[in-house]
Amino acid sequence: MSDKNINIKLKVWRQNGPNDAGRFDNYEMNEIPTAASFLEMMDMLNEKLLGEGKEPISFDHDCREGICGACSMFINGRAHGPDNAVTTCQLHMRKFKDGDTITIEPWRAKAFPVIKDLMVDRYSLDLIQQAGGYVSVNTGSAPDANSMPIHKDIAEEAFDAAACIGCGACVATCKNGSAMLFVGAKVSHLALLPQGKIEAKERAQKMLAKMDELGFGSCSNTGACEVECPKEVSISFIARLNREYLVANLKD
Amino acid sequence: MINLDAKIPQGKLAEKWTNYKENQKLVSPNNKRKLDIIVIGTGLAGASAAASLAEMGFNVKVFCYQDSPRRAHSIAAQGGINAAKNYQNDGDSTYRLYYDTIKGGDYRSRESNVFRLAEVSANIIDQSVAQGVPFGREYGGTLANRSFGGVLVSRTFYARGATGQQLLLGAYSGLNRQIALGKVESFPRTEMMDVVVIDGRARGVVVRNLITGKVSSHFGHAVAIGSGGYGNVFFLSTNAMGSNGSAIWKAYKKGAAFANPAFVQIHPTAIPQHGDYQSKLTLMSESLRNDGRIWVPNKLEDAEAIRLGQKKPADIADDDRDFYLERRYPAFGNLVPRDVAARAAKERCDKGYGIENNATKEGVFLDFKYAIDRLGQKTIEERYGNLFQMYEKITGDNPYETPMKIYPAVHYTMGGLWVDYELQSTLPGLFIIGEANFSDHGANRLGASALMQGLADGYFVLPYTIQNYLADQFDVKRISTDSDEFKAAENSVKAHINRLMNVKGKKSVDSFHRDLGKIMWDKVGMARTATKLKEAIEEIKILKKEFWENVEIPGDTNTINVELEKANRVADFLELGELMARDALNREESCGGHYREEYQTPEGEALRRDDEFMYVAAWEYTGDEKEPILNKEKLVFEETEVKVRNYKTAK
Ligand SMILES: Cc1cc2nc3c(=O)[nH]c(=O)nc-3n(C[C@H](O)[C@H](O)[C@H](O)COP(=O)(O)OP(=O)(O)OC[C@H]3O[C@@H](n4cnc5c(N)ncnc54)[C@H](O)[C@@H]3O)c2cc1C
Ligand code: SF4
Ligand code: FES
């Protein structure tokens, strides 16, 4: 792979705090190696701002391997930028061309207030998990792991749902700001497995109720979330969630 | 001098843990309600401990610096977790897992702790499956296993290439359940700044809210720290950007001894460095060595041609390839332990056979062609699909078509705060779990054993042993955080923050961190000598002085201030780095990941010096400008035959 250097212009959202109106600031960056990751480019920009005695841009990140779900930028109108099945930290500058202008915004959703610049508050996603995203089992009470065989295909499908990294790209992409893909992923992951099946209905009910309460929108099946999900979580899991929910409500 | 009583229980090795549990003190259910426990960290160790302690009835407060407990660095573990289940019927047992771990650690860990780890390993798998962790399975529906380096059995459980994520989400779900029940209070985006010591016991912590900058404190009858490893002292490592050593460094300064700080694991298979702007190194899981073959050209001119892009790996005939691990270690081949594989890669690259076109020419091939020919692309895709995808996203190369390029990178720290059998540090009431303690991996950790240890500590060990401490603590009244002791601790944290802010220098935190990393990698890295280590100590001192005169931290203290967060951590790394060099200088032998060039066999293998160095080096803090005191815990192997590590022949 031959990598080179490019010059780019950046339009970055700067916002001092939740109550600040916010604005775009423009920056120019020259000689950016295309082998660099997008966040390394942001590091270089911050280093440059520091050199000028200015405050660097705040953004969330940690693992830089596409698994912790911390990084969260809206790049050129797309959550995690112009590549498929990646997080912002896995996006590389070779996806951009010399002379490009790149617009960078925070996740925008009612349930994700901006903390500063590109950093938003996603604690609402934790609150949804706390509402029911678990199997009620205490440490030490588990039977032997092989006592309950699980079909390989089922385990694989459960993994596909469990792959969600809780980044919130689905919410930021959805025009209604809904968290249905996120909830569908957890409900399906656990409902598919015998261990999680038992509480499946109550789980779906509780997590959805919490989602509504926290100001997430409802799902109108446009499928935009699936396209931007870095872990390619399928919207078929929303259908499964709806089934679990329906069964739950019929029973009540 | 401090007292390093490991409190190893009586009895035969295999009976110690049972004996301990039968004789330990327990806390009654109604008294548990009166006891508060602080847990720092929500990785595998912290999350599992917090959830399990809350289930038992204790009141728990849990802290992490990320915006959600689920993002703790454990989430990034890829390859798998070991457990002595013997589901493959290949002769595995508690004893064999124990033996492999002790041997893998080059006989520098404590026998009794390691045996207990092997003993509880099987329960971890049961627990995780019950939580809904979607481990890989066979067609018959039973759990699948793979092999990792340094062993001859298949005992590693995995969830594709995201085992850490799935295990952590399991522990996180248990934690969430307790948060919902009100038994755990969770404080994300909150960094522990100090341990509060009252009457010689750990009684709480001072924390800083990373959003508001507010400094406050919390009382606990006991404190458990599971803050992870300190590999980021090297700047470039496979750890998450925020991984740091500050929590344990602050505890060290409050009286907890720091054990074997020099024991660092350099992982053999990470993506090589590509530029100065690089922010981290990406690991390619060790599991890849099950099916990938490592090689470099055996002609210098071929290596050069590859570096210059004049030849492709496919142009090198099999006979012109040097599968150096298979050549040097026929019994274990590509599955030798990490330290051995990493040094062998360095040896080839130092001799000029490296294939990467970067400044240091450091890189070797990890080739899947042979496995794809043997098993088909589909099988390889099933086993490693997401790792291959990750590799391609980063490098732009497709590993199904051309070999991966890899090179060793700092990965894990075996060193950490000293703990006894109960996981208690030398500061009473302060317990250390997970990668943050030193206990189980000696001088080198085997693959897939960190996840095992983190969860063993959190689910099955600490929840018992902490009760032995708390049994007489339930009538200790909660100490108000308005008390003088807490206020004094808060004030000293505030003074430290102000001191950092008032430097008002010109050089960024990252550039200091990079400079430190370079010293550490060059002089306290894979090949150490007395001369280099002494130089490192002096250079770090100079850098530390410059840091306190010239570090630039813009912004305020009462809002989110990422540069301030980083500066606080780098200030500690500068001190910790020096202690690591000191420890490496003291240890005049080679063992596991600690390789002193002066101490090697004629074949270039590590030369241990058991007569003089069969001990844990536990360093005691004596003051900022004073030298630390070395305390020694002699390692006694009652039921293990101590051998020279040999991976050339089986056993
Ligand atoms: C890329 C990679 C792959 C790996 N793969 C494997 C594998 O396949 N198998 C295996 O066994 N091991 C693997 N490891 C090692 C293993 O992941 C770690 O050793 C283990 O997860 C550490 O867990 P922990 O709970 O001790 O700490 P961590 O998971 O690092 O958690 C630390 C916690 O402490 C918190 N914290 C830290 N400092 C503070 C502070 N001052 N205040 C408040 N909170 C703080 C953090 O927020 C976090 O919640 C891998 C490691 C890496 C880097
Ligand atoms: S479903 Fe996909 S986009 Fe939504 S939070 Fe999970 S990983 Fe992110
Ligand atoms: S930083 Fe962890 S997913 Fe991007």
Side-chain angles (χ1 to χ4, degrees), chain B residues 93-150:
Chain B
S93 63
T94 299
Y95 184 84
R96 188 174 281 273
L97 172 53
Y98 148 77
Y99 176 75
D100 287 342
T101 310
I102 280 270
K103 173 186 171 195
D106 224 351
Y107 305 93
R108 289 294 175 267
S109 45
R110 192 186 294 140
E111 209 181 38
S112 52
N113 285 53
V114 178
F115 197 91
R116 175 179 62 191
L117 173 66
E119 220 175 323
V120 302
S121 66
N123 300 340
I124 297 171
I125 305 303
D126 301 340
Q127 176 67 19
S128 306
V129 166
Q131 289 166 338
V133 170
F135 282 122
R137 289 187 181 259
E138 305 291 352
Y139 283 102
T142 53
L143 291 160
N145 290 113
R146 50 168 66 136
S147 297
F148 258 50

Side-chain angles (χ1 to χ4, degrees), chain A residues 39 60-72 80 87-90 165 167 231, chain B residues 71 75 240-241:
Chain A
L39 294 186
D60 272 315
H61 66 103
D62 202 18
C63 72
R64 296 208 175 184
E65 289 191 4
I67 194 74
C68 75
C71 60
S72 49
H80 297 301
T87 53
T88 299
C89 60
Q90 291 175 298
I165 57 173
C167 64
K231 294 294 146 183
Chain B
R71 305 203 207 286
I75 201 93
M241 299 299 288

Side-chain angles (χ1 to χ4, degrees), chain B residues 52-193:
Chain B
S52 306
L53 290 166
E55 283 165 12
M56 290 173 152
F58 295 103
N59 309 304
V60 179
K61 287 183 176 179
V62 69
F63 300 81
C64 68
Y65 69 75
Q66 292 92 348
D67 69 329
S68 162
R70 69 180 290 158
R71 305 203 207 286
H73 169 57
S74 294
I75 201 93
Q78 302 170 349
I81 177 166
N82 290 330
K85 279 286 198 185
N86 193 28
Y87 282 162
Q88 304 306 324
N89 194 26
D90 55 4
D92 201 9
S93 63
T94 299
Y95 184 84
R96 188 174 281 273
L97 172 53
Y98 148 77
Y99 176 75
D100 287 342
T101 310
I102 280 270
K103 173 186 171 195
D106 224 351
Y107 305 93
R108 289 294 175 267
S109 45
R110 192 186 294 140
E111 209 181 38
S112 52
N113 285 53
V114 178
F115 197 91
R116 175 179 62 191
L117 173 66
E119 220 175 323
V120 302
S121 66
N123 300 340
I124 297 171
I125 305 303
D126 301 340
Q127 176 67 19
S128 306
V129 166
Q131 289 166 338
V133 170
F135 282 122
R137 289 187 181 259
E138 305 291 352
Y139 283 102
T142 53
L143 291 160
N145 290 113
R146 50 168 66 136
S147 297
F148 258 50
V151 306
L152 298 169
V153 293
S154 274
R155 64 160 77 98
T156 306
F157 296 78
Y158 60 93
R160 281 190 214 160
T163 315
Q165 180 202 21
Q166 295 307 320
L167 290 170
L168 183 60
L169 292 181
Y172 164 77
S173 71
L175 182 64
N176 280 333
R177 181 167 155 247
Q178 296 305 313
I179 293 173
L181 291 169
K183 287 305 290 179
V184 175
E185 214 182 327
S186 164
F187 298 85
R189 291 204 199 262
T190 308
E191 183 143 343
M192 182 200 113
M193 303 296 286

Side-chain angles (χ1 to χ4, degrees), chain B residues 439-451:
Chain B
S439 75
D440 296 340
H441 307 294
N444 172 59
R445 173 175 72 79
L446 290 181
S449 285
L451 301 184

Side-chain angles (χ1 to χ4, degrees), chain B residues 491-617:
Chain B
N491 287 338
S492 96
V493 166
K494 286 179 191 160
H496 181 72
I497 292 172
N498 287 337
R499 213 180 129 213
L500 282 167
M501 295 301 292
N502 285 334
V503 177
K504 296 194 196 310
K506 290 260 177 296
K507 189 167 152 182
S508 71
V509 180
D510 280 358
S511 19
F512 280 106
H513 197 173
R514 257 198 199 92
D515 291 350
L516 173 64
K518 187 159 168 28
I519 301 172
M520 296 299 293
W521 181 247
D522 290 345
K523 300 191 167 160
V524 198
M526 265 193 284
R528 302 163 168 176
T529 64
T531 316
K532 285 200 269 183
L533 291 165
K534 283 179 195 151
E535 284 167 12
I537 293 172
E538 290 315 308
E539 288 170 27
I540 295 170
K541 277 189 183 144
I542 295 169
L543 190 65
K544 180 179 155 191
K545 185 160 175 289
E546 192 197 339
F547 175 90
W548 283 103
E549 286 165 357
N550 198 25
V551 68
E552 176 189 7
I553 310 169
D556 301 314
T557 54
N558 58 357
T559 146
I560 181 110
N561 188 335
V562 176
E563 295 304 309
L564 173 59
E565 289 167 33
K566 289 195 291 192
N568 176 52
R569 296 171 190 159
V570 172
D572 293 336
F573 277 144
L574 281 161
E575 299 178 0
L576 170 54
E578 189 191 321
L579 186 69
M580 291 166 72
R582 217 176 257 284
D583 184 42
L585 183 61
N586 170 67
R587 194 169 281 279
E588 295 176 334
E589 65 164 349
S590 295
C591 58
H594 169 69
Y595 191 73
R596 285 279 301 265
E597 284 182 0
E598 303 96 317
Y599 307 99
Q600 52 177 304
T601 65
E603 299 99 59
E605 305 293 339
L607 185 69
R608 251 181 20 226
R609 295 176 62 209
D610 290 347
D611 293 350
E612 284 190 63
F613 292 97
M614 189 90 101
Y615 65 78
V616 176

Side-chain angles (χ1 to χ4, degrees), chain A residues 125 163-171 181-182 185 225 228-231 233:
Chain A
L125 295 180
C164 166
I165 57 173
C167 64
C170 46
V171 180
L181 193 61
F182 172 78
C225 51
E228 294 303 346
C229 172
K231 294 294 146 183
V233 171

Side-chain angles (χ1 to χ4, degrees), chain A residues 1 3 16 33-37 39-40 43-44 46-47 49-71 83-86 90-92 94-95 115-116 119-123 125-127 129-131 133-153 155-160 162-168 182 186 189-190 193 195-196 199 230-232, chain B residues 48 51-52 55 65-73 75-78 85 87 122-123 125-143 159-163 165-166 169 172-180 186-189 211 238-243 274 277-283 382 386 389-390 392-397 459-460 506 508-511 514 552-556 559-563:
Chain A
M1 192 77 202
D3 285 307
N16 234 328
T34 52
S37 72
L39 294 186
E40 283 166 349
D43 293 342
M44 290 182 234
N46 275 345
E47 194 72 37
L49 292 176
L50 282 165
E52 296 164 2
K54 295 183 186 141
E55 246 195 88
I57 299 158
S58 300
F59 59 90
D60 272 315
H61 66 103
D62 202 18
C63 72
R64 296 208 175 184
E65 289 191 4
I67 194 74
C68 75
C71 60
D83 195 356
N84 295 326
V86 291
Q90 291 175 298
L91 180 66
H92 277 67
R94 63 178 78 89
K95 288 281 162 192
I115 294 171
K116 189 172 182 179
M119 197 179 259
V120 301
D121 182 354
R122 286 169 288 187
Y123 198 59
L125 295 180
D126 280 317
L127 292 172
Q129 295 293 345
Q130 288 163 20
Y134 44 76
V135 175
S136 300
V137 54
N138 278 0
T139 302
S141 61
D144 182 84
N146 258 350
S147 61
M148 206 186 288
I150 297 174
H151 197 288
K152 186 175 166 57
D153 295 347
E156 295 290 324
E157 196 185 348
F159 183 98
D160 288 339
C164 166
I165 57 173
C167 64
F182 172 78
K186 183 49 63 185
H189 155 214
L190 294 177
L193 299 169
Q195 291 84 359
E199 297 167 279
K231 294 294 146 183
E232 302 181 293
Chain B
S48 58
S52 306
E55 283 165 12
Y65 69 75
Q66 292 92 348
D67 69 329
S68 162
R70 69 180 290 158
R71 305 203 207 286
H73 169 57
I75 201 93
Q78 302 170 349
K85 279 286 198 185
Y87 282 162
N123 300 340
I125 305 303
D126 301 340
Q127 176 67 19
S128 306
V129 166
Q131 289 166 338
V133 170
F135 282 122
R137 289 187 181 259
E138 305 291 352
Y139 283 102
T142 53
L143 291 160
R160 281 190 214 160
T163 315
Q165 180 202 21
Q166 295 307 320
L169 292 181
Y172 164 77
S173 71
L175 182 64
N176 280 333
R177 181 167 155 247
Q178 296 305 313
I179 293 173
S186 164
F187 298 85
R189 291 204 199 262
I211 302 299
T238 61
N239 291 7
M241 299 299 288
S243 294
H274 52 79
Y277 51 84
Q278 187 137 357
S279 58
K280 77 159 281 168
L281 295 168
T282 304
L283 179 76
E382 247 178 55
N386 58 343
Q389 184 207 24
M390 188 199 283
E392 184 170 2
K393 294 283 178 200
I394 293 171
T395 62
D397 284 340
Y459 283 134
F460 298 110
K506 290 260 177 296
S508 71
V509 180
D510 280 358
S511 19
R514 257 198 199 92
E552 176 189 7
I553 310 169
D556 301 314
T559 146
I560 181 110
N561 188 335
V562 176
E563 295 304 309

